Amino acid sequence: MKKSQKITLISLLIITVFFIIGIKFIPFGTVKYKNEKMVSTLIIPKLSSFDYECCMFSANFKSFRSQYILKKELAKIMDNYEKKTCDSKTYYYDLENDITITEYGVQGGFPMNKFYIVYDKGEYSCDNDNLVSDIIDKSIYIDDFICNDVLDSFYEDELYQYSYPCIKSSYVVVKYKNGIEEPVKEALKKGKITINDLDKHNIRYSKIEKSDSDFTKIVINAKEMKISKNDYNTLKEIFSRVNYNLDTNDYKARYIVELDGNTYDFYRSNNMVGYNGKFAEIDGDNLVNVSNILDFIFSNNDMDNIENVSMKIKDGTLTKTGATVIITDTNKEHYDYGLPFRLDKKENGIWQMLEVTGDGNFILPAYGVDKNNRLELNQSWDHIYGELKNGEYRLVKAVCISEDCNEQKYFSVEFILE
């Protein structure tokens, strides 16, 4: 080999070595990245390639760059986000993409190193540590699992006894976002989940109505709910004998009540209540009882029946006379929001509407969410309810889903005063 060729070859080798070292160890900054397999856009170090995403938003990437540089650039990325520390663990909120990064890290490999970013949708709160991430029946993943064919009772309420079809209570577990898990039986006892959560996660169980209960079931707006047997009989009696015939074409049903195989459209407007085309004045009429009963049941209903709308209390704003709430609406067509709200208090495990002791009037402007799909509202209640005592409360708001606002849907946020 000629001397000139050797020099050229050595030069190329030196350039290649420096090029590789440069890629490995020189910071090149970051880039926004998203593809069809990812839920959200992420900021990642340049010269990295997507590998896969799994397991509730865990995005994995590959890179020729060194572990040192990847760690350094990922740390710089996290420095640009809002940080929140809960139980010695730090979370990073990306406002632009409305995600919270719960974990990230770098893993060595050959010939490429890897890094991962685990995230969740929305802004993280320290209260989220106890939020449910999944409910699973681990027994279905055990090939030789033998399930003794005996009903395994795991929970009961005023109406029903709930059981698994065989002995497996220890295998049906709740997984929380902080990584902790516990049996469904314990989570139900502590009030961290409800039976409806089992339905949402396709957990199989049976329920048997209790014959000695003081309650029975009623169906309101297609939802099965409990009601005392005394109130149930009152409804049956009033629905059977009141007969005021008025034109109700201008009114829309507030409740659809199924009672003893019959369906009743229950209406309310100003000082009038009625059902199935019949109306009566509230004052001095038996339908007051219907109104009171249904209002009570409705206050215990699921107050989060709007898709893609949520509400939380802004950190540091809760007092005994008010709070600032943050409403998030990710619908394509946003709702309008006003200042009116009501408060419920949990008494003996049941939500009851708080009695108004002052002026319950509100000014009625309508507000919309901002470009980040968020709206902050100051909600003061001292002029309505006075200063609240210690206890568990729920702030309930509504949106109109008809032009005349006779139809509404509800959303809520719970809080505790100590």
Side-chain angles (χ1 to χ4, degrees):
M1 183 181 292
K2 294 181 180 181
K3 186 176 181 179
S4 60
Q5 291 176 322
K6 287 183 179 180
I7 293 173
T8 301
L9 181 59
I10 291 170
S11 298
L12 288 173
L13 286 172
I14 292 172
I15 291 170
T16 301
V17 169
F18 273 101
F19 179 73
I20 293 172
I21 292 173
I23 290 178
K24 282 281 190 182
F25 297 104
I26 297 176
F28 285 97
T30 60
V31 64
K32 288 184 179 181
Y33 187 87
K34 186 179 190 310
N35 67 28
E36 70 280 358
K37 296 180 180 179
M38 295 172 60
V39 173
S40 180
T41 298
L42 295 175
I43 309 298
I44 63 171
K46 283 183 178 177
L47 304 180
S48 304
S49 61
F50 177 76
D51 193 2
Y52 63 93
E53 179 164 294
C54 77
C55 317
M56 291 300 287
F57 321 144
S58 175
N60 297 265
F61 299 87
K62 298 182 290 188
S63 177
F64 279 111
R65 310 186 69 191
S66 70
Q67 293 185 57
Y68 170 76
I69 284 296
L70 290 174
K71 289 178 182 178
K72 191 172 181 179
E73 293 203 337
L74 283 170
K76 280 186 178 180
I77 291 169
M78 302 305 151
D79 282 342
N80 292 320
Y81 300 144
E82 179 184 342
K83 296 180 181 64
K84 182 168 290 187
T85 301
C86 307
D87 295 331
S88 302
K89 184 174 181 179
T90 301
Y91 302 91
Y92 307 88
Y93 179 57
D94 175 359
L95 176 62
E96 181 180 351
N97 295 297
D98 193 29
I99 60 170
T100 296
I101 294 171
T102 59
E103 187 179 348
Y104 72 95
V106 177
Q107 299 167 332
F110 182 83
M112 303 178 77
N113 293 313
K114 298 181 179 181
F115 65 91
Y116 63 91
I117 299 174
V118 182
Y119 62 98
D120 206 347
K121 292 186 285 188
E123 184 176 0
Y124 199 84
S125 163
C126 290
D127 295 334
N128 288 8
D129 272 352
N130 289 320
L131 290 183
V132 173
S133 113
D134 204 358
I135 302 177
I136 59 174
D137 180 354
K138 290 183 173 182
S139 69
I140 66 177
Y141 303 110
I142 303 174
D143 292 335
D144 57 351
F145 179 74
I146 297 175
C147 197
N148 295 323
D149 195 14
V150 179
L151 286 179
D152 183 4
S153 176
F154 63 90
Y155 184 65
E156 67 176 63
D157 56 25
E158 290 92 342
L159 285 177
Y160 297 106
Q161 184 86 35
Y162 300 88
S163 304
Y164 299 124
C166 59
I167 305 297
K168 59 177 180 179
S169 287
S170 60
Y171 295 92
V172 188
V173 300
V174 179
K175 300 182 76 172
Y176 299 100
K177 290 196 173 183
N178 60 3
I180 294 173
E181 64 179 49
E182 67 178 340
V184 159
K185 188 173 185 176
E186 296 302 318
L188 284 166
K189 190 184 297 183
K190 296 173 184 175
K192 293 183 176 180
I193 62 170
T194 67
I195 288 293
N196 288 337
D197 293 318
L198 301 191
D199 297 332
K200 293 173 186 175
H201 289 84
N202 299 314
I203 301 298
R204 291 180 56 221
Y205 63 88
S206 61
K207 64 180 183 180
I208 300 173
E209 191 165 356
K210 295 162 68 173
S211 59
D212 58 348
S213 173
D214 291 329
F215 294 83
T216 187
K217 63 184 177 183
I218 186 172
V219 179
I220 298 182
N221 293 350
K223 284 194 171 186
E224 182 181 294
M225 304 179 66
K226 72 177 182 181
I227 181 174
S228 74
K229 287 181 179 176
N230 286 337
D231 286 344
Y232 187 85
N233 291 329
T234 299
L235 284 178
K236 283 170 58 178
E237 178 187 355
I238 293 176
F239 278 154
S240 66
R241 63 188 176 87
V242 175
N243 188 27
Y244 293 87
N245 294 303
L246 291 176
D247 182 10
T248 60
N249 292 333
D250 293 335
Y251 301 96
K252 303 210 173 172
R254 181 178 174 184
Y255 313 97
I256 306 296
V257 182
E258 295 177 33
L259 189 72
D260 277 359
N262 297 314
T263 300
Y264 301 90
D265 293 353
F266 177 72
Y267 307 87
R268 189 161 189 187
S269 178
N270 298 325
N271 67 331
M272 304 284 283
V273 292
Y275 62 91
N276 290 7
K278 302 169 185 177
F279 257 75
E281 295 286 341
I282 287 182
D283 292 336
D285 191 86
N286 283 334
L287 281 176
V288 177
N289 294 329
V290 178
S291 173
N292 290 338
I293 292 168
L294 291 180
D295 271 343
F296 173 76
I297 297 171
F298 195 60
S299 72
N300 288 284
N301 198 353
D302 179 6
M303 286 291 102
D304 297 296
N305 54 14
I306 313 176
E307 290 187 359
N308 305 317
V309 172
S310 62
M311 177 168 56
K312 68 178 185 178
I313 291 179
K314 187 175 181 179
D315 288 347
T317 67
L318 177 62
T319 70
K320 292 190 175 183
T321 59
T324 298
V325 298
I326 301 174
I327 299 170
T328 302
D329 180 348
T330 57
N331 290 291
K332 186 176 288 186
E333 297 291 333
H334 295 138
Y335 292 103
D336 290 325
Y337 299 92
L339 291 176
F341 65 91
R342 80 158 197 263
L343 292 181
D344 299 339
K345 186 177 183 182
K346 186 172 278 190
E347 301 281 2
N348 299 318
I350 297 176
W351 289 112
Q352 299 195 41
M353 287 186 287
L354 209 58
E355 181 182 356
V356 174
T357 58
D359 177 11
N361 293 322
F362 292 92
I363 57 173
L364 297 175
Y367 303 96
V369 296
D370 61 19
K371 64 180 181 180
N372 296 313
N373 300 320
R374 289 154 60 96
L375 170 66
E376 288 193 16
L377 289 177
N378 295 322
Q379 306 277 213
S380 176
W381 53 69
D382 56 332
H383 65 291
I384 307 169
Y385 302 103
E387 184 174 299
L388 300 184
K389 298 179 180 179
N390 292 346
E392 189 172 353
Y393 295 89
R394 176 173 70 178
L395 186 149
V396 181
K397 295 182 70 68
V399 294
C400 298
I401 58 172
S402 64
E403 289 187 8
D404 51 13
C405 210
N406 278 329
E407 287 186 286
Q408 297 179 322
K409 285 192 174 183
Y410 297 82
F411 60 106
S412 69
V413 61
E414 298 176 14
F415 59 93
I416 295 175
L417 290 174
E418 297 178 334

